[in-house]
Amino acid sequence: MKEDGIELIKDGKRLDGRGFDELRPIKIEVGVLKRADGSCYFELGDNKVIAAVYGPREMHPRHAQDAKMAVLKYRYNMAPFSVEERKRPGPDRRSVEISKISREALEPVILKEYYPKTEIDVYVEILQSDAGTRTAGINAASVALADAGIPMRDLVSSVAVGKIDGEVVLDLNAVEDNNGEADMPIAMIVRRNTITALQMDGRMTKEEFEKGLKLAMNACRRIYELQRTALIERYSEM
Amino acid sequence: MKEDGIELIKDGKRLDGRGFDELRPIKIEVGVLKRADGSCYFELGDNKVIAAVYGPREMHPRHAQDAKMAVLKYRYNMAPFSVEERKRPGPDRRSVEISKISREALEPVILKEYYPKTEIDVYVEILQSDAGTRTAGINAASVALADAGIPMRDLVSSVAVGKIDGEVVLDLNAVEDNNGEADMPIAMIVRRNTITALQMDGRMTKEEFEKGLKLAMNACRRIYELQRTALIERYSEM
Amino acid sequence: MKEDGIELIKDGKRLDGRGFDELRPIKIEVGVLKRADGSCYFELGDNKVIAAVYGPREMHPRHAQDAKMAVLKYRYNMAPFSVEERKRPGPDRRSVEISKISREALEPVILKEYYPKTEIDVYVEILQSDAGTRTAGINAASVALADAGIPMRDLVSSVAVGKIDGEVVLDLNAVEDNNGEADMPIAMIVRRNTITALQMDGRMTKEEFEKGLKLAMNACRRIYELQRTALIERYSEM
Amino acid sequence: MGLEIMEDVRMDYVYNLVRGGKREDGRGFLDYREIKLETGVIKRAEGSARVKIGNTEVLVGVKLEPGEPFPDTPDKGVIITNAELVPLASPEFEPGPPNEDSVQLARVVDRGIRGSEAIDLSKLCIEEGEKVWIIFIDIHVLDNDGNLVDAATLGAVASLLETRIPNERYGLTGEDTLDIRDRPVAVTMVEIGGEILVDPSYNEENAAASGLTVISNEDGSISGMQKYWSGSIEEDKIAEMVEIGIEKAGEIRREFLE
Amino acid sequence: MGLEIMEDVRMDYVYNLVRGGKREDGRGFLDYREIKLETGVIKRAEGSARVKIGNTEVLVGVKLEPGEPFPDTPDKGVIITNAELVPLASPEFEPGPPNEDSVQLARVVDRGIRGSEAIDLSKLCIEEGEKVWIIFIDIHVLDNDGNLVDAATLGAVASLLETRIPNERYGLTGEDTLDIRDRPVAVTMVEIGGEILVDPSYNEENAAASGLTVISNEDGSISGMQKYWSGSIEEDKIAEMVEIGIEKAGEIRREFLE
Amino acid sequence: MGLEIMEDVRMDYVYNLVRGGKREDGRGFLDYREIKLETGVIKRAEGSARVKIGNTEVLVGVKLEPGEPFPDTPDKGVIITNAELVPLASPEFEPGPPNEDSVQLARVVDRGIRGSEAIDLSKLCIEEGEKVWIIFIDIHVLDNDGNLVDAATLGAVASLLETRIPNERYGLTGEDTLDIRDRPVAVTMVEIGGEILVDPSYNEENAAASGLTVISNEDGSISGMQKYWSGSIEEDKIAEMVEIGIEKAGEIRREFLE
């Protein structure tokens, strides 16, 4: 759906001045909410995302409890004013799918068996959107889970790569996403070097896919350091 | 939203001939339904309202039960043909709010602690509407609760005051409400002289508010006598 | 709602060449689904219907269980592409009513008391529709229940009669139904000669009704033989 | 649990009464309870009626609004019949969207009116293909002591007979009454212990294995039928019910709709 | 169960504090917690504000879209106020459609703005009877430590004051600011043990039997009131609350909305 | 409880088989079950296909209706893909609105078709900005024995290939076939015990910690991917799966879509 005549890359730079493998600026704040058990505010360029964690807490209804482990729930939700055209409140098909893949992105690191019969709730609110909200949400949720003291094997880090003007580049913004050829969000456990989420939209060759995957995994490593730093700062404050 | 040129007060009288502190005609019938445990039909001018009470009865789902007292529920519902433009069946935001404030208007008088784990259901149907349905509903519900034998500290009585053509007047009808400056429904426990519901829409000075509150409280005293009379008649019949 | 000038009967024959008491071609296949406990594919002319049965199985929620017998559930559902104008997914008022009368058509033959506290689920999907889907669904469901091994007193057989161009005829197709004067689906227990479902739409005299009822009951006897044959073939295969 | 036992007791009681040739309230098997019909009860409606059959009470309101025709009948008005079994009317009714009982009630009433062609829908066209009158028939049940279908159908037809088309409200001109060409009447019967009972009460409905509504017209023709519940009925019983239904409908029509 | 006991303990604690002339966080009965207001926080919105009152945090965004006017006000814009108590903000909030608390929150905020006639809706007509500006005021609660109404109302009015009309996005021309004619401010109070407390915290709301919001305007008039919860209030306490409400509103208006 | 134990037993059984180099039904790790494709099965649909992969059975119907374009693509048709996991197809499926599994199924199928740009949407404009063809792809699952995505994608593409545009029904003229420019094929794999299995059965899906769908095109490019479930996958396994996916897609395309 490329607009006529729009050029996304000029002189080897993207419209916002970034190089191909450059992330947008990231800002992470831990423990920003009082009522939640854990929380994290995450900015990725113009994306503003907040995650809260509640639990482990008693699960209702009882027949949905798992006798062997905690049940992880994840709700991705966009504020009505987070996008250019007001979003009607409530879940739509897109948010249902994102909630599912985000939950699955985090599950591999959570020691759910420590808390049988309970639920752990992750709520992610998108306050401002500029492409990349699901990855920002996973990053925020991962930190919020740690902040809530949920026992985890590791953090999960997430980012998207895409293809614009024929080039594989990191972390598309909204203009790039709307006028680009492909978008591929991933999540990974950095210290294990394994992928916990992967989606692809658009069209890419196998070679572009492989290049993109490497680019994304490298960026996840950078994000992981920022997540760790934010958590360390939080705890050294306390 | 005043219509152009409409005059609501002429020669010190309102369009329907009432004085400023005059109620519309009230008709109360007790025990009008067979299946309900208690019921009351209430007319206030052109408002026709019927209330039914069921309970105390076992509460479902169980986890919503209160181990110390009964749970009061209140459902205000308009029949589709009760208003000029057909109302779609089912609750809307207005009826949700009215149900809430009506329930809270009645709760202070109900001895809920007599019936732990149960629910008491109050259903109010608006059959014909002419402004003032929420107050008519509270009046009807209060009598229906008594008719159902629910132990109560006292009855609750309710009425609205408003401002039209700059004057504070009692019990607005629909033409007055649509073309007036403010509307303020209240509910009170007459014998305790305390307020259990209060809402205000529109714009009033503090002095007008105070005048209106007194006007409404006095009218509640009159309605209270009518409620009592209707109940006494009902029981002397039996 | 007859279209102008359409003639449904010419030279004593109907538009599709059938006589007045002739059924459309019927095809029955038993046990067509792997996951279901019992299933049946049923074609009646251009109607293509599939029924699946699950159960008896544990009923949720528990408070809806019947301590004395199984609860029978029936869900009639049209695939979006089964009709000329795409049908929005999900139940509408028509399918709610059909589900109810179909369930009641089958209940008299099911030995529900054998399986207290359980539920038996009958799911009927209309894949292609040409008038008569509810009767085709009941026929399919009846066979699927037998295929699932649900203990039954007998099969239930179902067909519709109607009135077109003033004549009482059997088993209307869509053109006939849309341009006819009346439609009357019935279901019966053939060996008991009793009626378990009966609805009538349109306008008929008492005499036409009586004639139609006889016509339909005779056709049910033919359908019953086809249902039996299909089941016998299925079990002789095994 | 206690409640369920009470229900069984009541069912046995009704059943034993019927076997002894009696009904709870003393009337004959083919007698209706007292019917009361009052029209013009709701000012905001274009037509309205309150029907009582014994303790059963139903309020019906008819509203008309301009709206779009169905694509396949661009020059015809539209009837939308809706029933609300509001929880005020019975301890069994629950708040929420229409369930299968309220859907069935609305659809049976609708079918009788539609099948009889009582309303000439072609007179309800305002602008072909663009705008026609939508007739909303809203059935509001106030007290359910059985036999809602007959009460609702009577209320609907009585409301339609007095309905005024609100041309003025929508800046339109034209005839202001509906052209009502027939007066369908519903008669509901149940079978208990082999006996046919007309106008079942709530307890009789619960004790019955099956029931049948027969909606019939001025000329004695039938314009709608519906069999209820999980029992089966013999062919000759159905024929008998149809006979009774048509006869009783005539009596009700003469008393209340003329 | 453990949770319910904890709640009782907290309620007793708050109650006993108040009887001793104190509040949880040490402030006076008529003092607000620290209020922080930041506007222009959401780029995608036409106007936005983040309000903190103590630990309570609310984000308000205003969006404008062309849409149809109501039939009875064909030349006026439309305000739609919506509140989401997203489960992120409190362990008590649950996902799902608006419940009675979020409906009430939205309606009270809406009532204050509408009653004050702060927005001149007649300036929001694009084409009479066809197209007007729809103003969506969306209240997104982030952290609920009590008194959401005051935070949301302040955020809504602050957002409206900075709102730009997105004419260009829709190929329209015209003024690009809303004409804001008043600055209604909500002040919420609760009664605990006979004392009036301004700006209740979450624990204080739970310990209170009743509460009152008074929304008042630049000229000291009242443009909305709502009483909360199942207690009853005496006439003179209400008069006192109205007095306090108007005074506190003036202070907030001077500090944050000028 | 009994059911859960059975499930554990089945998972262990599948896992142990795989560790021993085998699958439940005896096929090789990279083998599909038998695929059967039949098109033109539903007369009322503009295109339709029934796909069986082993015991898994999916019916896909394509319907076209004129409707409004999206504001940002006023001259392009619209694709709406919907999947119903009707409870007929599996004891795990429940009646009700689409849940996360049916939403994901519909969206993955949709993504593959959209990403490949198989349909030239610009040829589906009837009147720019006003009316375009809406293509409804409805996936109706009849029997779920695993790998619904591959069956549904194959059924959708096969249906589109035979779809006729119903110009006449809507009084329109124009081309009556869709311009299908590519034939995307989905290949789903799971990882169990370090092995990659193509075309997982229901039991294999349950035994797998993770899975991946790779949708690829005639030129070998990828037009959609989705990773499933709560396990994590190593980078080189993903590369291997992509390789296998593209190869297998070619085989299926040659056999069924040419």
Side-chain angles (χ1 to χ4, degrees), chain A residues 1 65 67-68 85 92-101 103-105 107-108 112 134 184 189 192-206 209-210 213-214 217 221, chain F residues 8 73 76 81-83 99-101 103-104 106-108 111 115-117 121 182 212 217-235 238-239 242-243 246:
Chain A
M1 305 296 173
Q65 289 179 358
K68 293 188 222 141
E85 193 179 344
D92 54 15
R93 288 156 52 114
R94 177 178 169 276
S95 67
V96 166
E97 190 195 16
I98 292 177
S99 296
K100 179 180 200 292
I101 70 106
R103 184 188 73 228
E104 293 172 350
E107 271 185 313
K112 296 192 294 179
R134 81 189 67 185
M184 180 168 81
I189 309 173
R192 299 199 170 197
N193 216 32
T194 59
I195 303 295
T196 67
L198 173 62
Q199 296 184 291
M200 206 276 276
D201 269 84
R203 197 160 171 145
M204 273 184 167
T205 65
K206 185 158 75 81
F209 160 73
E210 282 164 4
L213 185 59
K214 288 219 185 310
M217 291 177 80
R221 290 179 189 107
Chain F
D8 282 356
T73 52
K76 291 209 164 82
T81 307
N82 176 62
N99 66 4
E100 60 175 36
D101 290 316
V103 166
Q104 178 174 260
R107 285 177 67 85
V108 172
R111 202 172 290 154
S116 75
E117 302 191 325
L121 294 175
D182 209 328
L212 186 73
N217 307 309
E218 292 177 2
D219 64 359
S221 67
I222 309 166
S223 69
M225 296 181 69
Q226 183 94 337
K227 183 246 170 198
Y228 307 105
W229 311 309
S230 308
S232 64
I233 319 185
E234 283 163 31
E235 188 184 355
I238 289 180
V242 167
E243 196 95 35
I246 294 170

Side-chain angles (χ1 to χ4, degrees), chain B residues 3 38 66 69 74 82 99-100 102 104 117 128 132 144 146-147 150-151 183-184 186-187 189 196 209 218 220:
Chain B
E3 289 171 46
D66 186 324
M69 59 184 90
Y74 191 107
S82 64
S99 296
K100 180 180 200 292
S102 302
E104 292 172 350
K117 298 188 183 181
Q128 187 170 286
D147 182 44
I150 304 294
D183 185 39
M184 179 169 81
I186 75 156
I189 309 172
T196 66
F209 160 73
N218 276 327
C220 281

Side-chain angles (χ1 to χ4, degrees), chain E residues 208-229:
Chain E
S210 60
L212 186 73
T213 293
V214 177
I215 306 180
S216 58
N217 307 310
E218 292 178 1
D219 65 0
S221 66
I222 309 166
S223 68
M225 297 180 68
Q226 183 96 335
K227 182 249 172 198
Y228 306 105
W229 311 312

Side-chain angles (χ1 to χ4, degrees), chain B residues 93 97 107 195 203 214, chain E residues 81 107 111 230 233 235:
Chain B
R93 288 157 52 114
E97 190 195 15
E107 271 186 313
I195 303 296
R203 197 160 171 143
K214 288 219 184 310
Chain E
T81 307
R107 285 178 67 86
R111 201 172 290 156
S230 308
I233 318 184
E235 188 185 354

Side-chain angles (χ1 to χ4, degrees), chain A residues 82-119:
Chain A
S82 63
V83 280
E84 185 129 317
E85 193 179 344
R86 178 179 184 263
K87 194 204 159 286
R88 278 173 62 117
D92 54 15
R93 288 156 52 114
R94 177 178 169 276
S95 67
V96 166
E97 190 195 16
I98 292 177
S99 296
K100 179 180 200 292
I101 70 106
S102 301
R103 184 188 73 228
E104 293 172 350
L106 293 166
E107 271 185 313
V109 298
I110 296 175
L111 294 158
K112 296 192 294 179
E113 54 279 16
Y114 283 29
Y115 300 103
K117 298 190 183 179
T118 68
E119 70 181 63

